[in-house]
Amino acid sequence: MEIRRTVPVKLDVSDSAAESLFATIRDYRFAANCVVARSRRDDGPVETTKQRLHERTYDEVRNRVPELQSNLVQTARNRAADALSGVVARWKDGEYASLPTFTANFIDYNTHAVTFYEDYATLSTVDGRVEAEYVLPPETDDTPFGEYVASGDYSVKGATLHYRNDSFYLHLRAKTEVDDTEPPKHPTVLGVDLGIENLAVTSTARFWHGGLLNHRRESYERLRGALQQTGTESAHRTIDAIGDRESHWAENLLHNVSKELVQEATDHSCSIIAFENLTDIRERMPGAKKFHTWAFNQLYEYVEYKAEAAGIEVTQVSPENTSRRCTACGYTAKNNRSSQAEFQCQKCGYELHADYNAAKNVAWKHVRAGQTSRRGRANRQLALKSGAVSANDDFTPAESIGQSGSPPTSSGL
């Protein structure tokens, strides 16, 4: 099985190299938009085949932007072909969609147009090759760059160049091969609840507190506000530097939490990690800010990456009533959750931490979605600290889980 990773790395380039990259981006956009403009066939439909688009556009693009290297002409064509295929697919589904227009500061580099070194890369431009140094933290071992690039366990096969927030970034494409894993007969589900006070809580009662993340974020916001009031050029440069430090710090923290989440799933022999659906999570969560939405999505992406390598599936379930349903008796009511941290069922009196209850409900949703197989046996189990329980309330002690996909051995939880 092939596993792919994308690792963003900030670049440090000279002023002359930056000018060459900007000129290359302009020509690259022109090439991609030219392919779109020539995609209409004589009989009306849009051409999406890369070979035919190549025949229609290659000579014209090379004549109009002769400085653009041929490999970049080809990746621009491929990018346009993929976008056109997406539009045609939407048309077939009866949706409205206009032909794509490329406006982003973006270049797709294949291995013929970029060369990777330990701490820098050389990139093809309209003025020849330019050198771009990686901007990395002092220690990279516990970062995506260290895990997927520097370790040598993955091979880097191309990259995309982006310009945003006054800086160039190279998104390195890394891949490796791992053995396919045999799906378990009785998959065990680890539920994960995300929040502000507690960044993540699992159905096995593992807590990752969000206090440090929130405190650092608030400190950076106060410092940025003070610098913005100063208004000097030096202050603006400091704001940019602060933003980079904040991003690196937050990404490293989320990277470490994601590793521990996947390890928690591995320790409890889980083959599935379930999150609530992240769409509109900010609107559902009191006190959440744009930063929290970014953090939740970043954490999910990191978990997805690492879980894939461990042969663990990652999925999302509907968030409906995960914070209101009692995991002991099933009674669902708004006033079951008496505070941000406390859950007490108004029917059976069951009490526990509200986030822990929600994490179990997230897992339960996925367990019940695959409650029985064709033979009527429980397919999925909910991972708990003490073991695992099926939708039929059959309980498997922790010491018995993972023994050749052992089914539940005793009843009652």
Side-chain angles (χ1 to χ4, degrees):
M1 177 178 66
E2 184 177 88
I3 296 177
R4 296 175 180 269
R5 298 289 181 266
T6 301
V7 182
V9 179
K10 187 178 180 179
L11 302 178
D12 183 13
V13 299
S14 65
D15 290 343
S16 60
E19 291 179 4
S20 296
L21 290 171
F22 282 129
T24 308
I25 287 172
R26 287 193 296 270
D27 284 359
Y28 190 87
R29 281 199 302 251
F30 171 83
N33 286 322
C34 182
V35 172
V36 173
R38 303 291 180 268
S39 63
R40 284 282 186 185
R41 300 203 302 254
D42 294 338
D43 56 355
V46 170
E47 182 61 70
T48 60
T49 306
K50 292 176 182 178
Q51 180 58 39
R52 291 175 182 169
L53 288 171
H54 171 83
E55 295 168 356
R56 284 169 169 261
T57 61
Y58 183 78
D59 289 341
E60 179 182 356
V61 171
R62 290 308 308 274
N63 287 333
R64 297 183 67 175
V65 284
E67 296 84 5
L68 191 65
Q69 200 232 30
S70 60
N71 283 293
L72 296 182
V73 173
Q74 293 171 17
T75 63
R77 177 206 64 220
N78 292 345
R79 180 65 59 167
D82 290 340
L84 288 166
S85 295
V87 169
V88 170
R90 292 181 65 184
W91 288 347
K92 289 180 179 179
D93 289 338
E95 300 178 21
Y96 170 80
S98 57
L99 292 180
T101 299
F102 293 90
T103 60
N105 295 316
F106 170 91
I107 301 174
D108 192 349
Y109 281 94
N110 60 25
T111 52
H112 299 289
V114 59
T115 304
F116 303 102
Y117 297 93
E118 183 177 345
D119 54 3
Y120 72 99
T122 60
L123 305 166
S124 291
T125 73
V126 294
D127 299 315
R129 288 261 176 165
V130 300
E131 186 173 301
E133 185 178 350
Y134 301 152
V135 179
L136 300 170
E139 298 293 333
T140 62
D141 290 347
D142 290 328
T143 66
F145 183 89
E147 184 172 352
Y148 304 126
V149 180
S151 67
D153 295 335
Y154 288 69
S155 56
V156 180
K157 300 294 184 181
T160 53
L161 179 76
H162 303 258
Y163 183 78
R164 62 179 184 272
N165 300 327
D166 299 324
S167 296
F168 286 101
Y169 292 84
L170 201 60
H171 290 203
L172 308 176
R173 294 194 294 266
K175 67 178 183 179
T176 192
E177 292 285 341
V178 298
D179 294 334
D180 291 333
T181 57
E182 186 72 21
K185 295 179 181 178
H186 299 275
T188 303
V189 183
L190 181 73
V192 181
D193 179 67
L194 301 177
I196 299 173
E197 182 177 341
N198 292 300
L199 175 61
V201 179
T202 67
S203 57
T204 53
R206 180 78 185 272
F207 285 69
W208 285 267
H209 298 291
L212 181 58
L213 186 68
N214 293 323
H215 174 72
R216 288 288 292 265
R217 174 64 176 177
E218 291 167 1
S219 297
Y220 279 124
E221 285 183 343
R222 287 195 297 270
L223 182 55
R224 267 195 297 267
L227 289 167
Q228 285 171 349
Q229 288 184 348
T230 303
T232 64
E233 183 177 344
S234 174
H236 285 298
R237 286 197 300 269
T238 304
I239 289 173
D240 291 338
I242 287 172
D244 290 336
R245 287 200 300 270
E246 179 186 10
S247 296
H248 283 310
W249 181 86
E251 287 170 358
N252 288 341
L253 183 145
L254 295 169
H255 180 68
N256 290 331
V257 172
S258 69
K259 285 201 297 187
E260 293 172 3
L261 265 168
V262 174
Q263 188 60 51
E264 183 75 3
T266 302
D267 291 345
H268 289 80
S269 301
C270 297
S271 52
I272 301 169
I273 301 175
F275 290 77
E276 65 177 291
N277 192 298
L278 300 182
T279 304
D280 300 326
I281 191 169
R282 184 181 175 189
E283 287 71 23
R284 301 194 306 268
M285 190 176 294
K289 299 180 180 180
K290 185 177 180 181
F291 167 75
H292 293 105
T293 302
W294 169 84
F296 297 151
N297 281 283
Q298 191 71 63
L299 179 62
Y300 181 85
E301 182 179 314
Y302 284 162
V303 170
E304 205 172 26
Y305 275 179
K306 294 171 178 60
E308 183 183 18
I312 297 173
E313 176 189 347
V314 180
T315 188
Q316 296 185 20
V317 302
S318 168
E320 185 179 8
N321 291 325
T322 53
S323 64
R324 300 176 177 180
R325 180 185 178 276
C326 175
T327 50
C329 72
Y331 179 69
T332 302
K334 184 177 181 179
N335 58 352
N336 276 350
R337 186 164 187 165
S338 55
S339 70
Q340 186 65 28
E342 298 175 355
F343 183 95
Q344 181 176 14
C345 180
Q346 301 303 299
K347 182 178 181 180
C348 72
Y350 184 51
E351 295 183 50
L352 73 168
H353 194 286
D355 295 338
Y356 177 39
N357 183 74
K360 291 199 288 183
N361 273 325
V362 168
W364 269 128
K365 288 213 169 189
H366 196 63
V367 168
R368 291 190 173 93
Q371 182 172 350
T372 57
S373 67
R374 292 179 180 178
R375 297 181 181 180
R377 297 177 304 177
N379 267 346
R380 299 172 186 165
Q381 306 174 91
L382 162 64
L384 299 168
K385 187 175 182 179
S386 57
V389 62
S390 74
N392 298 326
D393 287 335
D394 292 326
F395 179 67
T396 304
E399 59 270 17
S400 301
I401 298 175
Q403 299 175 5
S404 303
S406 301
T409 56
S410 59
S411 298
L413 176 61

